[in-house]
Amino acid sequence: MSRRTVAAGQPGRSAPPPRRMLKDALPLLVRLAACLLLAAAVIAVSATFGLRVSWPIPLALGLALGTVLWIVDRGADRAEQLHPPQLDLDADYALPHAQDMRVRRLEDAIYGAQPSRRMTARTLGQVLGEVADERALDPDAPALSSNLSQLIERSRTPAAPEGSVPAVSPIDRRTLHRYLHELAAREERDR
């Protein structure tokens, strides 16, 4: 191995030439030295007037000023300009799933079915019941499964005079997907 490879500490890689490193760091070193000399001059002038200045503070300020001057002179690399996408001004455009009010209500109910929100399986069952009512208008639609029919019946049952309401069990994701697939139109099921 050569001396450069050993000096770099990594096998197969050579260390950058010292002249180039010195050339890249020279403007920083010049500014640091100038600001340190200025700090030393401030300490010396204040000593001649009888003021005692703690020397670490002006020296640290001199180093910081030299670094800031070097950064300002060198300039920061600018990021590439970002171009925002063209704004679609077509007011009539809407996503297909947002055109149907029932779908929007169902999306809202499902979105609200988070643990931190007050969404119940009863509300979700009522929305599924509305979708099932419209689906029932199609003469070719197959009958609903017994589980889905029971869910819709329980969610639509009003409170009894005693205040008791039939319990609606929670709906997990797999069951909800099965119900939605069952309620979907035949064309949408084939996708």
Side-chain angles (χ1 to χ4, degrees):
M1 278 196 259
S2 69
R3 285 187 213 173
R4 285 185 184 166
T5 307
V6 173
Q10 296 177 348
R13 284 197 156 168
S14 62
R19 289 182 195 159
R20 182 170 178 211
M21 282 183 16
L22 186 61
K23 182 181 175 187
D24 290 341
L26 189 62
L28 173 64
L29 295 174
V30 168
R31 284 178 178 74
L32 288 176
C35 288
L36 283 176
L37 286 175
L38 180 66
V42 167
I43 293 171
V45 168
S46 64
T48 58
F49 289 113
L51 297 172
R52 290 197 57 138
V53 178
S54 178
W55 60 269
I57 295 173
L59 292 179
L61 290 175
L63 287 173
L65 180 66
T67 305
V68 168
L69 289 175
W70 176 71
I71 290 172
V72 168
D73 180 55
R74 184 144 185 194
D77 293 335
R78 298 285 180 203
E80 195 174 303
Q81 286 291 341
L82 298 177
H83 299 288
Q86 293 294 323
L87 181 62
D88 186 12
L89 299 175
D90 186 10
D92 295 334
Y93 175 75
L95 293 174
H97 62 79
Q99 291 175 348
D100 189 359
M101 183 57 107
R102 291 169 300 132
V103 174
R104 277 190 262 162
R105 254 186 276 142
L106 184 61
E107 284 175 346
D108 186 44
I110 292 171
Y111 174 74
Q114 304 299 321
S116 63
R117 304 203 183 273
R118 295 199 172 235
M119 169 58 195
T120 60
R122 180 173 308 281
T123 308
L124 188 56
Q126 289 170 355
V127 175
L128 290 174
E130 290 176 17
V131 175
D133 289 343
E134 186 160 326
R135 181 181 171 271
L137 299 175
D138 182 12
D140 297 333
L144 296 177
S145 67
S146 61
N147 292 338
L148 181 56
S149 300
Q150 288 174 357
L151 171 72
I152 293 170
E153 284 177 31
R154 284 189 190 145
S155 62
R156 288 183 173 171
T157 304
E162 309 87 50
S164 65
V165 180
V168 177
S169 61
I171 303 169
D172 64 346
R173 182 180 291 198
R174 180 180 291 169
T175 307
L176 178 62
H177 279 271
R178 191 175 64 239
Y179 290 161
L180 291 174
H181 185 72
E182 185 178 339
L183 290 171
R186 183 166 295 162
E187 308 87 48
E188 292 177 7
R189 263 188 256 145
D190 295 336
R191 289 185 196 173

